Amino acid sequence: EVQLVESGGGLIQPGGSLRLSCAASGFTVSSNYMSWVRQAPGKGLEWVSIIYSSGSAYYADSVKGRFTISRDNSKNTLYLQMNSLRAEDTAVYYCARTTVDTALDYLDYWGQGTLVTVSS
Amino acid sequence: DIQMTQSPSSLSASVGDRVTITCRASQSVNTYLNWYQQKPGKAPKLLIYGISNLQSGVPSRFSGSGSGTDFTLTISSLQPEDFATYYCQQSYIVRTFGQGTKVEVK
């Protein structure tokens, strides 16, 4: 059974750093594309970042240069390092497996989310 | 970036109603169009991928259609568990979501 469990969220002051983790089971993180998606309180979904099985990584303009996606193959875990945090980064952060096939690309499994609150 | 615009932003419907939600992209997204359902306090759930492919385990009352820039999610007969917010998403260039459509009880 595929499972994704996020952790690492919490209250952090503006300008601070936080690292989110997403522990996967039932599949191999390094063989898949993996994404982070966030949702500010009462708002819609915003794609944040993706890491390909090749290791290539891409980011939304809103986080580029501040966030870094990575993975630990030995732990089958995905990470999101968030630096220079701003109030507008306050959101529930979800990790999701991204399945890619011919002319298809979709988020088929999601974690339960972890809340990041940036406030002084 | 490709902008995704859903309409309506919210709608009121009754159990048994046929519900249609539209999603328009600012440029063609080819077949890279997906739909998700989200209930309060829960993670989104994939309903339809590649415009019209039903995800495993999703009831057949859900269907998707469209092409190019205009897409539709249809619920043929609304059930109590379908009251939720629905998002379209393109994954053709980068990845972006629509703003969501909340389906509420009439």
Side-chain angles (χ1 to χ4, degrees):
Chain A
E1 181 194 5
V2 171
Q3 251 192 329
L4 295 165
V5 179
E6 299 97 335
S7 60
L11 176 63
I12 186 78
Q13 291 190 339
S17 298
L18 208 56
R19 188 179 79 160
L20 306 183
S21 301
C22 171
S25 57
F27 72 101
T28 302
V29 165
S30 61
S31 299
N32 285 267
Y33 290 21
M34 296 294 297
S35 298
W36 287 97
V37 175
R38 69 183 180 183
Q39 186 170 37
K43 302 298 184 182
L45 302 170
E46 179 188 15
W47 174 79
V48 172
S49 181
I50 189 167
I51 185 167
Y52 291 178
S53 51
S54 65
S56 298
Y58 300 90
Y59 302 90
D61 288 344
S62 57
V63 307
K64 201 174 294 181
R66 300 188 299 123
F67 289 13
T68 303
I69 191 172
S70 64
R71 65 191 181 211
D72 184 329
N73 298 343
S74 66
K75 296 182 178 180
N76 208 33
T77 297
L78 177 74
Y79 300 102
L80 186 67
Q81 177 67 43
M82 305 185 295
N83 298 331
S84 303
L85 282 161
R86 306 167 179 166
E88 53 265 37
D89 296 319
T90 294
V92 173
Y93 285 74
Y94 297 99
C95 65
R97 190 180 79 171
T98 305
T99 290
V100 176
D101 203 338
T102 304
L104 299 171
D105 180 319
Y106 51 91
L107 303 163
D108 56 354
Y109 289 94
W110 296 65
Q112 84 288 351
T114 187
L115 176 63
V116 173
T117 303
V118 184
S119 174
S120 54
Chain B
D1 287 4
I2 298 177
Q3 309 303 318
M4 307 299 291
T5 304
Q6 290 181 231
S7 60
S9 295
S10 65
L11 65 90
S12 298
S14 300
V15 171
D17 284 353
R18 181 182 183 87
V19 170
T20 299
I21 298 168
T22 64
C23 177
R24 174 164 288 176
S26 58
Q27 65 184 81
S28 176
V29 297
N30 201 316
T31 59
Y32 293 84
L33 192 285
N34 311 309
W35 290 96
Y36 301 86
Q37 175 195 66
Q38 187 180 33
K39 295 181 179 179
K42 300 294 187 181
K45 171 188 172 184
L46 176 67
L47 295 178
I48 290 172
Y49 61 93
I51 301 178
S52 60
N53 298 285
L54 202 63
Q55 172 68 345
S56 176
V58 173
S60 59
R61 63 181 179 271
F62 291 92
S63 64
S65 63
S67 64
T69 60
D70 294 302
F71 304 93
T72 298
L73 173 70
T74 300
I75 309 172
S76 60
S77 178
L78 195 67
Q79 297 302 299
E81 60 268 29
D82 300 337
F83 292 100
T85 300
Y86 294 85
Y87 294 92
C88 63
Q89 179 232 351
Q90 68 81 21
S91 48
Y92 186 53
I93 298 177
V94 189
R95 284 150 182 88
T96 48
F97 290 90
Q99 82 279 15
T101 296
K102 187 173 184 179
V103 177
E104 300 176 299
V105 177
K106 191 171 186 178

